[in-house]
Amino acid sequence: MSIKRYGVEGGVGTGGQKLPFARATEAAGWLFVSGQTPMTDGEVVEGSIVEQSRLAFANCLKIADEAGYGVEDVVHVTAVLTDARYFSSFNKVFKEVFGDHPPARICSVQDLVVDCKVEVDIKCYRADRA
């Protein structure tokens, strides 16, 4: 089994900081996408929890798409919210993204190292790539 790494040239974090990890890794049909925040070009996009959640998911799914995986291949999501009051609104976005075929998930409330409301990561699986 080999491991393929996507984005090892380093993404860009806040303030132009070069990030020291892969955007995603793939092994035996599994794709693990690193946690994504609502950033564009290394800067947090301000907005409501709904807007920030949509962008965080879009960032994850863009990376998955670049690796050949789609939303239908997502089997697990980890979500971190910075305020428990965001839970209901986040769930609405989750339903919007995944429809009637949601993946498994864990959602917690924690501080984030980036000044935003949400961070998500996704895990995908495709048997034809195992």
Side-chain angles (χ1 to χ4, degrees):
M1 173 182 78
S2 64
I3 298 172
K4 184 171 184 178
R5 291 172 172 82
Y6 297 88
V8 293
E9 64 280 355
V12 178
T14 54
Q17 171 191 4
K18 186 174 178 182
L19 301 175
F21 50 84
R23 292 185 311 135
T25 56
E26 180 181 22
W30 289 93
L31 181 75
F32 300 87
V33 177
S34 291
Q36 299 296 305
T37 56
M39 284 187 157
T40 300
D41 299 323
E43 295 300 324
V44 172
V45 175
E46 292 299 322
S48 70
I49 184 61
V50 169
E51 294 163 321
Q52 287 200 358
S53 297
R54 284 179 180 146
L55 182 54
F57 275 120
N59 288 342
C60 279
L61 293 170
K62 179 180 177 190
I63 294 167
D65 182 63
E66 291 169 5
Y69 291 76
V71 68
E72 68 279 2
D73 300 315
V74 178
V75 296
H76 189 268
V77 172
T78 302
V80 177
L81 306 175
T82 58
D83 191 318
R85 292 174 291 187
Y86 298 151
F87 190 70
S88 179
S89 295
F90 177 79
N91 279 339
K92 290 177 186 175
V93 175
F94 194 87
K95 173 80 170 165
E96 179 183 297
V97 172
F98 296 106
D100 293 329
H101 305 287
R105 174 183 104 182
I106 185 169
C107 185
S108 64
V109 175
Q110 304 174 45
D111 289 334
L112 293 170
V113 296
V114 175
D115 187 19
C116 61
K117 296 173 175 72
V118 60
E119 181 173 357
V120 295
D121 78 13
I122 60 174
K123 292 137 194 98
C124 304
Y125 181 74
R126 283 188 43 184
D128 63 319
R129 295 178 76 155

